[in-house]
């Protein structure tokens, strides 16, 4: 008996993007309607994650969203954002407007694919093969980031960019590095193997019941989103009490039965990138935002989202609601400012971050969050620092650190008291520290050397 021929229908691989190509996104940037902000209106064919894509573009450009109205129910997506830069000014730079149009798909990319934000950062499209990306997670402890940077320095790696967060006893980092000799990604597999082993030894340098992870990859990854995904996969949200006891953070979820939605209400202290952190978490947990409103009320932000699971179901069980609440709480707290913000601006070189973070550690400073960028030959890095126990830092220690590193290149941006503190020498401050603290610093330093070797 002859076998019958089975024919399958042919699907053009570009079919999935057909609707977007037929109806490309429409992006209107309006500087006339309101006096104090720019209106950015986005209309597009709907797809999962499109809200995150839009918010990510605005966030990467250091723009602040004070109000937003979201509607993406059905096959169409329509959003309005009230936007300023972080200096409170409208978005009137033509190159910025052009970049937003291109990034959101309303225009074809032009020859100039970079733009400078109000904070002086360059944002643009980069080659997918320029860097080696290192992803790390393990138990947090004082001096951890210093030891990680020391390992990379010993392997002659140039740190192009990095982001590090600490939360709920865990520390995660995404680091872009290049080989200093080739100025490209690290292609030596033996070198990568040794680096991975040494980084894992550093991450294991503390009691850790969850284990450590170290991944290497080529390409371009969004640092903020990867950090959320890494810490979410590590379940850093576990062990939280009900966030309603926190007067500055309140999250509630109710079901709107007649409309078929679950309604998420969030009220917390406003900060840069808050909207991105929340939308990123909702999206990565496989929920769809059908409607939403965002409003900043003085120091507070009020956000409301009408969501469903991707299969159309609402959050029906109390357990699922509590899990979403805990995950959103973790997303908000992962990079909420802790301690004093220090900014370093100087000529970039191999070993710079290893030296700077070593000085922090030797003077009793613990890094809660860090952001590392390079602009040409310039390094522009920010650090949120606390004392070793996570508490406030004595400003005399900050002044001593600045004296050692250089006051012209290390400045205090946030968290410093208004009254001027007297300047102290490094030797005076070190003598003021307790003997036990100094012994602990020396032990950490010796442990670091043995771990790397």
């Amino acid at each position: 008996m002859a076998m019958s021929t089975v024919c399958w229908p042919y699907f053009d691989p570009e079919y999935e993007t057909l609707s977007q190509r037929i109806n490309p996104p429409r992006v209107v940037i309006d500087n006339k309607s309101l006096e104090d902000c720019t209106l950015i209106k986005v209309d597009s064919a709907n797809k999962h994650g499109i809200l995150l894509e839009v918010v990510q573009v605005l966030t990467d450009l250091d723009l602040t969203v004070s109000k937003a109205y979201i509607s993406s129910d059905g096959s169409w997506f329509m959003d309005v954002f009230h936007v300023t830069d972080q200096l409170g000014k409208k978005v009137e730079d033509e190159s910025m407007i052009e970049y937003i149009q291109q990034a959101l798909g309303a225009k074809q990319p032009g020859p100039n694919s970079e733009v400078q934000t109000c904070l002086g950062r360059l944002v643009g499209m980069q080659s997918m093969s320029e860097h080696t990306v290192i992803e790390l997670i393990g138990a947090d402890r004082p001096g951890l980031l210093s030891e990680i940077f020391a390992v990379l320095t010993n392997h002659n790696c140039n740190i192009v960019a990095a982001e590090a967060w600490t939360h709920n006893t865990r520390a995660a980092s995404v680091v872009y590095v290049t080989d200093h000799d080739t100025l490209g990604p690290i292609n030596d597999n033996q070198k990568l193997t040794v680096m991975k082993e040494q980084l894992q030894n550093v991450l294991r340098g503390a009691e850790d019941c969850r284990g450590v992870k170290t991944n290497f990859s080529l390409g371009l990854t969004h640092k903020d989103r990867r950090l959320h995904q890494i810490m979410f996969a590590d379940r850093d949200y576990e062990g939280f009490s009900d966030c309603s006891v926190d007067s500055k953070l309140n999250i509630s979820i109710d079901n709107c039965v007649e409309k078929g939605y679950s309604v998420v209400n969030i009220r917390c202290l406003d900060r840069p990138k808050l909207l991105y952190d929340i939308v990123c978490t909702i999206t990565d947990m496989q929920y769809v935002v059908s409607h939403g409103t965002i409003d900043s009320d003085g120091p507070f932000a009020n956000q409301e989202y009408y969501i469903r699971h991707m299969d159309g179901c609402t959050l029906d069980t109390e357990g699922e609601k509590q899990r979403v609440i805990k995950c959103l709480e973790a997303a908000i707290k992962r990079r909420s400012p802790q301690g004093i913000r220090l900014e370093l601006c100087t000529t970039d070189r191999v070993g710079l971050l290893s030296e700077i973070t070593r000085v922090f550690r030797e003077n009793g400073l613990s890094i809660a969050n860090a952001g590392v960028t390079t602009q040409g030959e310039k390094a522009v890095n920010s650090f949120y620092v606390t004392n070793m126990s996570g508490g406030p830092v004595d400003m005399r220690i900050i002044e001593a650190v600045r004296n050692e590193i250089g006051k012209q290149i290390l400045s205090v941006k946030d968290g410093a008291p208004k009254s001027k503190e007297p300047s102290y020498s490094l030797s005076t401050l070190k003598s003021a520290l307790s003997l036990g603290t100094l012994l602990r610093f020396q032990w950490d330093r010796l442990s670091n050397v043995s771990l790397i070797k």
Side-chain angles (χ1 to χ4, degrees):
M1 180 178 177
M3 295 185 66
S4 59
T5 302
V6 177
C7 297
W8 297 98
Y10 171 75
F11 288 99
D12 189 325
E14 295 188 353
Y15 180 76
E16 290 185 0
T17 62
L18 180 61
S19 62
Q20 193 167 16
R21 286 183 285 116
I22 293 174
N23 299 297
R26 185 171 68 96
V27 179
V28 176
I29 300 178
D30 177 6
N31 276 310
K32 296 180 179 179
S33 297
L34 298 175
E35 292 183 2
D36 57 347
C37 65
T38 298
L39 288 181
I40 298 181
K41 307 172 187 178
V42 184
D43 297 347
S44 174
N46 197 14
K47 63 176 182 179
H48 180 62
I50 190 169
L51 174 61
L52 178 59
E53 290 178 14
V54 175
V55 172
Q56 182 171 296
V57 168
L58 301 180
T59 302
D60 288 345
L61 294 172
D62 294 326
L63 300 178
T64 299
V65 178
S66 57
K67 296 180 186 291
Y69 306 96
I70 299 162
S71 180
S72 58
D73 205 357
S75 60
W76 203 252
F77 166 88
M78 294 179 289
D79 283 0
V80 179
F81 300 90
H82 293 220
V83 171
T84 61
D85 64 22
Q86 290 195 26
L87 303 177
K89 297 179 180 179
K90 288 186 175 184
V91 183
E92 296 180 310
D93 185 348
E94 288 299 326
S95 62
M96 177 77 73
I97 292 173
E98 185 77 12
Y99 183 89
I100 294 172
Q101 295 274 1
Q102 293 173 8
L104 296 180
K107 286 187 178 180
Q108 292 297 317
N112 185 12
S113 58
E114 283 190 337
V115 67
Q116 189 174 49
T117 74
C118 65
L119 301 182
R121 296 192 311 110
L122 286 176
V123 177
M125 302 303 295
Q126 298 176 349
S127 169
M128 295 295 285
S129 59
E130 283 184 351
H131 313 108
T132 296
V133 183
I134 306 173
E135 299 176 356
L136 307 163
I137 190 162
D140 185 29
R141 60 184 170 83
L144 176 61
L145 197 59
S146 174
E147 295 174 22
I148 290 171
F149 289 153
V151 170
L152 299 178
T153 298
N154 286 348
H155 287 280
N156 206 28
C157 293
N158 185 39
I159 300 172
V160 179
E163 194 82 17
W165 297 350
T166 61
H167 178 246
N168 198 20
T169 75
R170 304 296 284 172
S173 183
V174 175
V175 188
Y176 289 74
V177 299
T178 59
D179 189 307
H180 181 64
D181 296 327
T182 65
L183 302 180
I186 301 170
N187 296 316
D188 186 338
N189 289 330
Q190 183 176 0
K191 182 176 181 177
L192 290 172
T193 300
V194 175
M195 284 174 58
K196 184 172 183 176
E197 181 181 351
Q198 292 181 353
L199 288 170
Q200 287 179 327
N201 286 339
V202 167
L203 290 169
R204 291 193 191 101
E207 293 184 6
D208 190 352
C209 60
R210 297 189 190 177
V212 303
K213 292 181 182 177
T214 305
N215 293 321
F216 287 70
S217 64
L218 287 175
L220 190 65
T221 182
H222 193 275
K223 297 191 298 297
D224 293 358
R225 187 169 189 186
R226 280 302 297 146
L227 281 170
H228 277 302
Q229 291 172 339
I230 292 168
M231 299 194 90
F232 174 78
D234 191 62
R235 306 175 76 89
D236 73 317
Y237 54 85
E238 291 185 338
F240 278 90
S241 59
D242 186 357
C243 69
S244 62
V245 302
D246 187 344
S247 61
K248 297 179 181 179
L249 172 61
N250 190 281
I251 305 173
S252 64
I253 300 177
D254 299 296
N255 282 344
C256 181
V257 178
E258 61 274 14
K259 298 293 185 181
Y261 297 113
S262 292
V263 185
V264 180
N265 279 286
I266 302 169
R267 178 175 172 82
C268 62
L269 287 174
D270 198 13
R271 61 165 173 81
K273 300 188 178 183
L274 175 65
L275 174 60
Y276 174 83
D277 294 339
I278 292 171
V279 171
C280 180
T281 300
I282 292 174
T283 303
D284 284 342
M285 292 185 74
Q286 302 300 306
Y287 294 101
V288 178
V289 177
S290 298
H291 304 282
T293 57
I294 290 89
D295 186 19
S296 295
D297 178 20
F300 286 91
N302 298 288
Q303 302 189 12
E304 182 178 65
Y305 301 93
Y306 287 74
I307 68 171
R308 297 188 184 110
H309 199 272
M310 284 189 66
D311 60 10
C313 296
T314 56
L315 286 69
D316 294 327
T317 67
E318 190 61 29
E320 186 178 13
K321 291 178 182 179
Q322 287 303 314
R323 181 172 181 267
V324 172
I325 288 173
K326 287 185 176 182
C327 290
L328 289 172
E329 178 189 5
I332 292 168
K333 289 186 174 181
R334 278 173 195 145
R335 61 169 158 195
S336 293
Q338 301 178 57
I340 294 175
R341 180 170 175 260
L342 303 177
E343 187 171 286
L344 176 79
C345 185
T346 188
T347 303
D348 190 31
R349 67 179 188 277
V350 171
L352 172 66
L353 287 168
S354 178
E355 294 173 16
I356 297 300
T357 53
R358 174 185 57 79
V359 174
F360 287 176
R361 183 185 61 187
E362 289 177 349
N363 286 277
L365 299 182
S366 181
I367 299 173
N369 295 74
V372 175
T373 58
T374 54
Q375 301 171 12
E377 297 182 353
K378 218 55 160 167
V380 181
N381 308 327
S382 63
F383 306 92
Y384 280 94
V385 296
T386 66
N387 64 23
M388 287 293 184
S389 61
V393 179
D394 189 329
M395 285 305 297
R396 294 173 297 177
I397 295 178
I398 296 295
E399 286 302 304
V401 170
R402 293 184 65 210
N403 286 333
E404 181 173 1
I405 293 174
K407 288 191 173 184
Q408 298 300 318
I409 65 174
L410 184 66
S411 58
V412 180
K413 291 297 181 181
D414 297 309
K418 294 181 179 180
S419 60
K420 292 185 178 180
E421 296 284 351
S423 179
Y424 290 79
S425 68
L426 194 59
S427 59
T428 303
L429 268 185
K430 284 186 174 177
S431 66
L433 295 172
S434 68
L435 177 62
T437 304
L438 286 174
L439 288 173
R440 183 173 61 181
F441 292 164
Q442 292 302 320
W443 174 254
D444 284 343
R445 194 174 183 183
L446 292 172
S447 300
N448 179 28
V449 173
S450 63
L451 284 169
I452 293 173
K453 291 184 178 179

